[in-house]
Amino acid sequence: MDEYKVGTQNTSQVESQSSKKKAPLNKYALACALLASTNSILLGYDIGVMSGAVLFIKDNLKISSSQLEILVGSLNVCSLIGSFASGKTSDMIGRRYTIILAAATFLIGALLMGLAPSYPFLMAGRVVAGIGVGYSLMIAPVYTAEVSPAMTRGLLTSLPEVFINVGILLGYIFNYALAGLPDHINWRLMLGIAAVPAIGIGIGVLQMPESPRWLVMKGRIEEAKRVLRKTSENDDEANLRLEEIIKAASVVGQSPSDSTGSIPSKWKGQGVWKELLRPSRPLRRILVAAIGINFFMQASGNDAVVYYTPSVFNAAGIDNRKGLVGVTILMGIAKTSFCIVSALFLDNFGRRPMLLLGTTGMAVSLAGLGLGSMYLHNSYHKPLWAIALCVVAVCADVSFFSIGLGPITWVYSSEIFPIRLRAQGSSLAVSVNRLVSGVVAMTFLTISKKITFAGMFFVLCGIMVLATIFFYFFLPETKGKSLEEIWVIFEDKKDKTPSQADKEMTER
């Protein structure tokens, strides 16, 4: 561990010098991040398009509200399978081919849903698409984090969330464009069109390089060096990053480099779960942070609000279907715009300030949405000001989500685990994310009927207050740190010798 800290301190010194001037955005790393993140469009499109498609599916297939909840939530529950398996899969076959596998699985699911003649057939397609979504949610940010330079990692790793929001907006637009078609055709086109980008994404990802950190773990040092040279500002920075990765790989249990400079390894992710289930003190803190942020991301109810916004506004007095879909487009524009703003400023302001701003804003917005919904629920006449309050509050809620929890969850989860544990540790955290998302989506309408939409929004407001407190105490800042350096942040003074603590105080 001492050797590892020396490496990270050397890198930290170089990065602290380079951070005095604005870090340039590496175009090759940006291209890799964009290609990997396009996979997230598929999830976003499904979320957005399903919010409108359910209106027509319910009428066309004559299904109940409970069946509708199961249909909507099943994608999130089934994505638990993909996210749980993605860690081991990506350790075995690589990050790049796992992204292709995710796109191919979603392609099959989209075709099944688009051609579904009945509810069971539609559910089968939903299950397959969910597994593909699970793979995509874990692997896109992990790959991007492992390719990105430290000073622009926040921007690049938040791109999957940007593309999710772009996909949601596209889903809303296709809802609006296809809503006028007959009910037995429109929802099938809405769902089936997702197969087209899945094909393009699978082909595009073939042009991407493999993650340099995965290549090092497999002993393919020269290939890793070539990738790092393309994603670094110069050869010196590339060599320094490579040296740091090799040292970190050796520390976490890999065979040390031999005389040729390679790491002889048949590593396929074995032994990782043993460490995750019996964690050291620093790793326990990492697990608490990663699982906690993923839990609160979905416990915020954001996905359910997006899925069921038409139902919420229908209850508020907007009963025209095109009008309902039109309101969701407005929400999608706000959500996407603020996600882009967050991505651009994440490396400047840091993870913690943006996250705390986002959760605080969500708590206030949900309180306003609860008040507006409560007034509308208890009023025979639907006043325009109350409807306007609900529309503004929903847009504010999803906007603050896009500032904080939306992008930062993927950034934080993918960067805090040590190199050997990163894929499977992230898959564990994302599995919690998917499980909570499925539970919320499949119970949102049922609970809302019991306590009203207003009561549900007040509950979500309370959850966001708890989230703000949790993030303040348990999530340290990781801005500008290399992936290999972040481990040290989660060690406390009890884990360090007096000489190490004194040395750190001197450096500060």
Side-chain angles (χ1 to χ4, degrees), residues 126 155 173 214 220 402 432:
R126 197 84 173 139
L155 166 63
I173 292 171
W214 183 82
R220 293 155 61 177
S402 293
V432 173

Side-chain angles (χ1 to χ4, degrees), residues 98-150:
T98 304
I99 295 174
I100 295 173
L101 176 63
T105 307
F106 191 91
L107 166 65
I108 296 170
L111 290 174
L112 288 173
M113 289 190 291
L115 298 172
S118 62
Y119 179 75
F121 205 103
L122 182 59
M123 281 296 302
R126 197 84 173 139
V127 169
V128 175
I131 294 173
V133 164
Y135 271 99
S136 176
L137 280 175
M138 191 289 294
I139 196 58
V142 166
Y143 172 86
T144 306
E146 292 188 339
V147 169
S148 305

